[in-house]
Structures are given as structure tokens and as C-alpha cells.
Amino acid sequence: MAKKSATKKSTAAKTAKPAAEKVTAKTAKKSTAKATAPKTPLSEESIGIAAGELWARLTEKPATVAELKKATSCSDELTLVAIGWLAREGKLHFETTSRSVTLSLA
């Protein structure tokens, strides 16, 4: 029986990772996630172009935020900033349901 318990201990020692390695792996994952940049840089020009795309899509029919994100070639962040731009100018009407927000032209 002594041989079996010694074998189990040596197997466990081989498979167990030191705590320092686990922290390093987690840190590496977090640092790569933060390093990713938005696809389109935010500038007044890019926001204006995105707002124009949203405007053109909303002339067809009202849409949810998710539908607008899918319909445009813009990143999620740029889409939301463009919605804010149009809202600030008073160009949008928002209708909130239990699960989503539908946008239409004001």
C-alpha cells in the first residue's frame, strides 16, 4: 500500500501548477484583452460618417440598437457614439420595451 500512495503523490506533484504560474497566465490574458483597439478610430469625421449610415438605415424603418449594429460596417463602440451624436441633435426618437430600445427618426 505504501507504493500506491507514493505514486499518487508523485503524479499529483507533476500535474499541479505552482500558484505563480497561474497568476502569470491570468495576467497575460488580461493584458492582451486590454491591448485591443477599436476597429475604427474615434474622430469627428468617423462619428459623422457612422451617423450618416445610421440615418440612412433609419429612413427605411425603425430599428433596435442591435439591428443597427449589424446593419452598419461600424464597430459597436462607434455605432453607440453615433447614436449619441444623433440623439444630442434631436434627430432620434427612442421607444423602450421590456428587452430592447427601438430607434426611429424624430
Side-chain angles (χ1 to χ4, degrees):
M1 286 200 161
K3 291 182 181 181
K4 288 183 180 180
S5 62
T7 308
K8 287 181 182 180
K9 287 180 183 177
S10 64
T11 306
K14 289 179 185 178
T15 58
K17 290 185 179 180
E21 287 183 28
K22 291 178 183 177
V23 172
T24 306
K26 288 180 182 178
T27 306
K29 288 180 183 178
K30 289 181 182 177
S31 64
T32 56
K34 291 180 183 177
T36 57
K39 294 177 185 176
T40 307
L42 293 177
S43 67
E44 284 190 30
E45 183 179 359
S46 64
I47 295 167
I49 291 169
E53 287 184 34
L54 295 178
W55 180 272
R57 170 61 179 82
L58 289 171
T59 58
E60 298 169 9
K61 65 179 183 175
T64 64
V65 175
E67 290 170 342
L68 289 173
K69 286 179 183 180
K70 289 179 186 177
T72 63
S73 61
C74 307
S75 66
D76 292 351
E77 182 180 38
L78 188 57
T79 302
L80 294 174
V81 172
I83 289 170
W85 178 316
L86 291 171
R88 179 73 173 114
E89 291 183 346
K91 307 286 184 188
L92 296 179
H93 173 73
F94 296 89
E95 184 177 330
T96 306
T97 62
S98 63
R99 293 190 51 130
S100 64
V101 176
T102 302
L103 301 155
S104 60
L105 296 177

